[in-house]
Amino acid sequence: MGVTLHWISRSTLQRHKAALACRRICGRHTYDVIGAEIENIHSSYGLLNKVVATVTDNGSNFVKAFQVYQPVTESDDETGEEESTPTDDDVTFLDLSEILSAENDGLKCFKDKEYQFLQEYCTAMKPLTAALDILQGDCPYGTLLPTLEVLMQKTLAVKDPLSRMTAGLPDAIVQAIQTCFASVLDDKDALLAAASCPKFKLRWLRDSARRERVKERLTAECSTTAPVAKSPASVPSATTSASQDEMDFFTFEAEPEEDTYTVKNCCKKTAKF
């Protein structure tokens, strides 16, 4: 289990990070084992009452660990007995070697249709896996919206060659993204974070009308914040390293020269702030 810590300095407002632990968990990765290990790590560094939020994957064992080991309130006491009973979300681990060595009729081979389904499934899910790798890495908030937009575009782009077995999967993925991130897709802070990031600017916005709206928001925000600046502040370098997979994922059309000038001009104003 790898645990990292991220915080923002109160005085400089700079982001900081540190690696707390990289521990091996023996045996079954059940919710109680995971919860106890996380609590042990927090306790080792005196963080039991200081952690604001924890980000992890959506595995059922992790989900239940945080449901059971979250801070207890009066309402939680009433439902504690119900949550402690086994549910369908519990993870069951099987010994594959036992199954393969069992003396029975053996395992059935995949049919051609099943191979085709697996290939098409991998094709449809490839953009999603690339996006997850990017978002789970060390990326700023401005990466979120461009990643989601490109993910939806690339997912719909692979729809045509799919057969009837998986033709509905790209639409389902895009619909799920729009539902889960409905409050973020048009959020002002998220849009400004992406537009002011030199890596993306306005290139990720395919719709011209939406690009204009974001540009107007960025200009208005710069006009509001720039006059209150008292003294120039140093601006950290915007250069970030990117893997080849990430470079392949983000493919944008040529950005209009006018939009490039607008973003650069706004960035100069906000640099003073």
Side-chain angles (χ1 to χ4, degrees):
M1 175 184 292
V3 180
T4 59
L5 177 69
H6 304 263
W7 74 97
I8 297 177
S9 171
R10 292 179 181 271
S11 57
T12 64
L13 298 182
Q14 294 293 319
R15 294 190 306 160
H16 298 276
K17 59 184 178 181
L20 292 185
C22 183
R23 300 184 180 179
R24 179 185 179 187
I25 297 181
C26 299
R28 299 182 62 190
H29 300 174
T30 54
Y31 75 93
D32 53 335
V33 173
I34 291 174
E37 189 63 35
I38 293 176
E39 185 176 10
N40 184 30
I41 294 171
H42 289 173
S43 178
S44 300
Y45 293 91
L47 300 174
L48 281 179
N49 299 319
K50 297 181 180 180
V51 177
V52 177
T54 304
V55 179
T56 182
D57 60 39
N58 202 31
S60 58
N61 50 351
F62 276 93
V63 172
K64 188 171 182 180
F66 285 98
Q67 288 176 344
V68 175
Y69 289 95
Q70 63 182 329
V72 179
T73 62
E74 293 182 0
S75 59
D76 292 334
D77 292 337
E78 299 176 359
T79 59
E81 296 181 0
E82 298 179 2
E83 292 180 349
S84 63
T85 57
T87 65
D88 293 336
D89 292 334
D90 288 342
V91 177
T92 302
F93 292 88
L94 301 175
D95 190 339
L96 185 59
S97 61
E98 258 184 49
I99 298 175
L100 294 176
S101 61
E103 295 182 0
N104 51 28
D105 295 337
L107 298 175
K108 295 182 180 179
C109 296
F110 284 121
K111 299 177 182 179
D112 290 341
K113 277 287 185 182
E114 293 170 333
Y115 273 117
Q116 181 183 353
F117 172 81
L118 291 175
Q119 291 173 346
E120 293 182 3
Y121 180 83
C122 291
T123 299
M125 296 296 290
K126 185 177 180 180
L128 180 59
T129 59
L132 286 175
D133 286 339
I134 293 171
L135 294 178
Q136 290 180 144
D138 184 17
C139 60
Y141 186 46
T143 307
L144 177 60
L145 285 188
T147 303
L148 294 178
E149 290 288 338
V150 174
L151 170 58
M152 290 188 285
Q153 295 165 10
K154 287 182 175 290
T155 300
L156 293 177
V158 302
K159 180 179 178 180
D160 291 339
L162 300 179
S163 67
R164 294 177 59 184
M165 292 187 295
T166 56
L169 184 57
D171 290 328
I173 294 174
V174 171
Q175 181 62 41
I177 294 172
Q178 292 173 342
T179 301
C180 293
F181 295 93
S183 60
V184 181
L185 292 177
D186 200 37
D187 179 70
K188 176 184 175 181
D189 292 337
L191 290 170
L192 293 179
S196 59
C197 182
K199 183 177 180 180
F200 301 109
K201 299 179 183 177
L202 301 175
R203 295 180 298 165
W204 56 280
L205 294 165
R206 296 289 184 91
D207 182 67
S208 58
R210 191 181 182 200
R211 185 189 298 120
E212 286 298 319
R213 290 196 300 270
V214 175
K215 185 166 65 173
E216 290 173 1
R217 281 186 176 185
L218 182 61
T219 304
E221 188 71 15
C222 293
S223 301
T224 303
T225 58
V228 300
K230 295 181 179 180
S231 60
S234 60
V235 181
S237 173
T239 304
T240 56
S241 59
S243 64
Q244 184 61 44
D245 291 337
E246 184 175 344
M247 294 172 62
D248 294 338
F249 182 81
F250 291 113
T251 53
F252 303 115
E253 298 177 354
E255 186 179 9
E257 184 176 351
E258 180 184 354
D259 291 343
T260 305
Y261 173 78
T262 301
V263 175
K264 286 184 177 179
N265 192 33
C266 289
C267 288
K268 289 180 180 178
K269 291 182 179 180
T270 54
K272 297 179 180 180
F273 177 70

